Structure formats: structure tokens, C-alpha cells
Amino acid sequence: MHAFDPGYAHAPYAALVGDHPGPETYPAKDFRVEWGPVFHRGRLDGSARVLVLGQDPAAHEAVTRRILVGTAGRRFQGFLGKLGIDTSYVLINTYLYSVYGQHAGNAHATDPAIAHYRHRWLDALVTHNHIEAIIALGGLADTAFRTWRKDPGSAPYDGTYEHVLHPTYPDSAAASGADAATVMKQLTTNWNTALTALRSTVTPDTERPFTPYGDALAAADLGTIPELDLPPGLPAWMRSGEPWAARRGDTPAEKRATIAVRVPESQRPF
Ligand code: URA
């Protein structure tokens, strides 16, 4: 039997997906609206105990139609595993659409219409699950969480909250000139501190002894995205550790318009 994500057929998610915002709310100069909104990953059946707030979908997510399935997703899946959380999670992003350009993410951090729709999701998720912890990945997600809690109409939430460094923070910091080993250690130290705090409040799916991260993420620290999280019929290599989607093009417009999808060599049955 293959497990799969049944999608958004039932309330309240059917209505949320049905009237999602488009380019009137997410300007096309700042968001890759042409690739469509990507809503979530994880449980929508009321069984989530951990709610994760990510940033925005990238190339892999544009293909799988579920968020946090690429490098960032596999790193954070490993974090959830260290918490003992194997399936009882739900993840949404700060933005429904992929951010285009360096400053676009910050420029729209508190846009009322973007926030309003995100608050509807957050309200629905905390109302229809017993969420013990909300974890924000990176600064934009932290702003999103705080903006939601300040909204006088937001649903009650009395669980714990952790803001951690974004899973690809070391990559972006190193690309801007920081020492790669230093920023990697910053991430693992930050995540170890968060895990220590969260382990006292989150009920695990599977009890496991705490194995903290070392100075850098190791291959064993990456989690596998469960088949259960993706729409039916997606091939197993889309959940593999090897990158298989990349934006390509000789001009900015062509690169924005093109995602090359390639079956990784190790995953080919031929
Ligand atoms: N992909 C996502 O969906 N969210 C992130 O925060 C990063 C990558």
C-alpha cells in the first residue's frame, strides 16, 4: 500500500484553498505567481501537535505542490525527528508564492492582505488541532507569527513558541561572505537549544533519546519526507536526498519561466 496526502477536500481547508489570493495580493514583480500557490505539508486531519512556519516555496516545492521538500525541508524533517515527531506536524509558509528578488521577502513582511490570508490558515490549524508548539523558521516567519498573535481577531493559542534559524541560513550567510563553518555551527547550536526547550513540551510520536547536532549537519541529520506527505503518484525520487529541480535560463525572464526536472542518476530504474 502506498500512503499519500489526500489534499484539501474537507472544511475548513477546501474553502481556504478555493479562495486563495493571487497577483492582486502577491505582486508579480516580487513573487513567482506564475508557478501557483503552494499551501502546506503534513497533517490536516486534526492530528498535528507541531506547527511549523517556513518562508516561501522554492523549485522542488513548485513541482511537488507541497512545501519544504527540498534541502530546507529535509534538514528540518531531521529536526522534527530529533523531537520524536515523525508525522504529527503541519507546515505552512509565510508566503504562498516563491519570493522573487532579494528584497521582496522583507518588503511584504507585514502586508495586511497577505497577513489576513495567512492568519486564516493559522487560525484554522490551531483551532482544528491540539498544537503544543509553533516553530518559526527564520526572521520572516517570526514576524508572521508575531503579526498573527497581535491580530485581535486571531484564534486563541496557548502552546509554546520557538523561533529558530532558517534551515538554509548557513548557505545564504556563507554566500554573502560569512565563514561557512562558523555559520553552520551557529545553526546547529541554535537548533540544539531549541530542541532542548521543545522536548519538555512536545509529546513525541516516538520516544527517542536526544542526540544533539554536532558542529555541522551530518548526512544522518537529514530527514526523509514521508510518502504520506505528498500527493498520490509522485515518484519516490522526488523525496530522495539528491536535488532534482533547478531554475534554468540564459536571461532572468527565461530562468524565472523554467524549472528543469531531472531524475537523479542513482534513482533511475534504467
Ligand atoms: N521551501 C519552503 O517551502 N519553505 C522554506 O522556508 C524553504 C524552502
Side-chain angles (χ1 to χ4, degrees):
M1 284 296 284
H2 288 276
F4 60 89
D5 178 2
Y8 307 99
H10 60 275
Y13 308 104
L16 275 170
V17 165
D19 70 351
H20 67 263
E24 75 295 338
T25 301
Y26 280 90
K29 74 173 178 33
D30 290 336
F31 294 97
R32 296 181 174 93
V33 285
E34 64 278 15
W35 289 96
V38 192
F39 297 100
H40 101 297
R41 175 161 73 81
R43 311 288 76 74
L44 295 181
D45 61 358
S47 68
R49 290 194 301 283
V50 175
L51 194 169
V52 179
L53 198 44
Q55 189 172 302
D56 68 303
H60 290 80
E61 289 81 12
V63 179
T64 60
R65 313 313 298 174
R66 295 295 181 271
I67 71 162
L68 283 158
V69 298
T71 302
R74 296 191 70 241
R75 288 181 182 174
F76 203 70
Q77 197 75 23
F79 179 107
L80 292 171
K82 284 183 188 288
L83 255 190
I85 293 293
D86 300 327
T87 52
S88 301
Y89 52 76
V90 62
L91 301 79
I92 63 167
N93 274 329
T94 298
Y95 295 126
L96 277 185
Y97 298 91
S98 177
V99 170
Y100 185 69
Q102 271 202 321
H103 305 289
N106 289 327
H108 297 279
T110 56
D111 279 15
I114 291 178
H116 177 73
Y117 182 76
R118 185 171 58 227
H119 294 180
R120 289 175 57 198
W121 267 90
L122 288 165
D123 288 344
L125 292 171
V126 297
T127 304
H128 295 278
N129 294 276
H130 180 64
I131 299 292
E132 297 172 335
I134 298 182
I135 309 173
L137 310 182
L140 287 169
D142 180 50
T143 301
F145 173 82
R146 292 177 193 285
T147 307
W148 173 56
R149 292 322 300 151
K150 274 191 250 153
D151 180 341
S154 65
Y157 173 66
D158 59 8
T160 189
Y161 173 66
E162 284 287 330
H163 166 208
V164 300
L165 288 174
H166 191 274
T168 55
Y169 159 76
D171 311 64
S172 32
S176 321
D179 175 62
T182 305
V183 287
M184 186 49 106
K185 188 169 176 189
Q186 240 179 298
L187 178 85
T188 59
T189 305
N190 175 265
W191 282 15
N192 281 336
T193 306
L195 280 167
T196 305
L198 287 163
R199 282 176 63 89
S200 62
T201 42
V202 171
T203 313
D205 294 325
T206 310
E207 292 273 2
R208 16 187 110 89
F210 181 31
T211 49
Y213 292 100
D215 288 350
L217 291 174
D221 293 327
L222 300 182
T224 302
I225 310 302
E227 193 178 34
L228 172 68
D229 283 13
L230 296 186
L234 289 200
W237 55 262
M238 289 197 173
R239 299 182 294 112
S240 80
E242 293 181 63
W244 49 262
R247 300 192 196 279
R248 292 250 195 283
D250 293 336
T251 63
E254 272 311 302
K255 192 165 179 189
R256 182 169 163 160
T258 311
I259 293 176
V261 173
R262 184 174 170 276
V263 181
E265 273 173 35
S266 68
Q267 307 285 321
R268 297 178 186 172
F270 53 90

